[in-house]
Amino acid sequence: MVSSLERYKPVKLEGRPLVLTKEGKLQVSRPRHIHSAIAGAKKYLKPELLQPLLGQLDGSVNVPEGGSVTLSRVFLNEYLQAFGSVPDIVVWSGSTDKTILKRLKLPNIRKILNLQAKGDKWGNFALTLEDMLKNNKIIHTINLGQVNKRGNMLGLAEAHNQIFNDQHTITHCHDPITDVILTRCIFNIVINSMGSLKLFRYCRKGKVLNNTSNIK
């Protein structure tokens, strides 16, 4: 589906976190991984970000008995295939997402489209839509103008605020539901700029991956 992300209700993935090892393998986290993540978070994160993150981690790890575990290959596959058509996945700065999808070995995916906002040395930023299955080929670009900030990449909330006047209520950085809402807003802007039919035709040209383990 490329005309909108509206019918996909945001779902928070909960369950024991998945760990991407140094060898590039995906495995369910163990207590030592959780302890290491907590120690690292306490060392580097400010209190206003640390507490929500620890709460989110605790909620995912300690799913109540009888509660729904959504962080699983089975749930993700059912979610993506829910409408009976081959899905296209949209991510924000999704290099890690691409690696995880490869390790999850999900069936029947056509495209992984990546949104990101990058600037040049003069501070001029542009929003790009890229095809991650074709060496990050740029499909469409929208100029965002000059942004006064350090670094040449805009975060998701920064890019959204640069494009829209209205502000969503953000509980804290990287809240998973908020991330989906902001990505959806930005993707819909790209659709309006590029044209839904043009994007639809581009995505339909793609070869369906029988298994995401074949991602290069």
Side-chain angles (χ1 to χ4, degrees):
M1 176 185 179
V2 297
S3 59
S4 175
L5 296 180
E6 294 299 333
R7 65 177 176 177
Y8 281 90
K9 180 182 178 181
V11 174
K12 184 177 180 180
L13 300 180
E14 293 186 306
R16 188 161 290 277
L18 303 176
V19 176
L20 190 62
T21 68
K22 293 180 180 179
E23 295 76 27
K25 296 181 179 180
L26 200 66
Q27 66 181 55
V28 176
S29 62
R30 299 174 181 174
R32 62 184 175 85
H33 294 127
I34 303 298
H35 296 324
S36 177
I38 292 174
K42 288 181 176 179
K43 184 176 180 180
Y44 295 107
L45 298 182
K46 295 180 180 180
E48 59 268 25
L49 180 57
L50 175 63
Q51 294 308 316
L53 187 147
L54 292 180
Q56 191 178 122
L57 180 60
D58 181 71
S60 292
V61 173
N62 300 305
V63 177
E65 186 175 349
S68 176
V69 176
T70 54
L71 185 56
S72 70
R73 182 178 181 274
V74 172
F75 176 85
L76 288 171
N77 185 48
E78 290 178 350
Y79 178 79
L80 290 170
Q81 309 292 338
F83 297 103
S85 58
V86 179
D88 303 299
I89 298 175
V90 180
V91 296
W92 176 267
S93 293
S95 57
T96 302
D97 298 280
K98 179 181 175 181
T99 303
I100 291 174
L101 286 167
K102 179 179 176 68
R103 301 305 178 191
L104 283 172
K105 300 179 181 179
L106 298 172
N108 300 326
I109 302 296
R110 194 189 307 271
K111 290 290 184 185
I112 302 176
L113 303 177
N114 183 51
L115 289 163
Q116 67 175 7
K118 191 173 183 179
D120 59 24
K121 62 181 180 181
W122 296 284
N124 298 306
F125 282 78
L127 172 68
T128 58
L129 179 67
E130 304 169 350
D131 187 341
M132 298 194 83
L133 301 184
K134 288 194 174 182
N135 296 317
N136 295 327
K137 174 185 176 182
I138 295 177
I139 306 169
H140 192 68
T141 301
I142 299 175
N143 291 323
L144 300 180
Q146 281 199 324
V147 181
N148 184 20
K149 69 157 291 176
R150 291 184 178 181
N152 67 339
M153 298 292 291
L154 292 182
L156 177 56
E158 290 177 316
H160 181 275
N161 293 342
Q162 184 69 15
I163 297 169
F164 298 94
N165 292 323
D166 59 320
Q167 304 290 316
H168 290 285
T169 300
I170 299 177
T171 55
H172 57 273
C173 295
H174 302 302
D175 169 68
I177 298 297
T178 302
D179 281 1
V180 172
I181 293 171
L182 298 186
T183 302
R184 181 167 58 190
C185 285
I186 294 174
F187 182 59
N188 286 338
I189 284 293
V190 172
I191 292 172
N192 291 335
S193 174
M194 181 178 180
S196 59
L197 183 58
K198 183 177 180 181
L199 182 56
F200 176 83
R201 286 173 174 169
Y202 178 84
C203 289
R204 293 289 74 78
K205 291 179 182 178
K207 181 180 179 181
V208 177
L209 285 173
N210 293 328
N211 193 298
T212 54
S213 63
N214 297 322
I215 293 174
K216 296 180 180 179

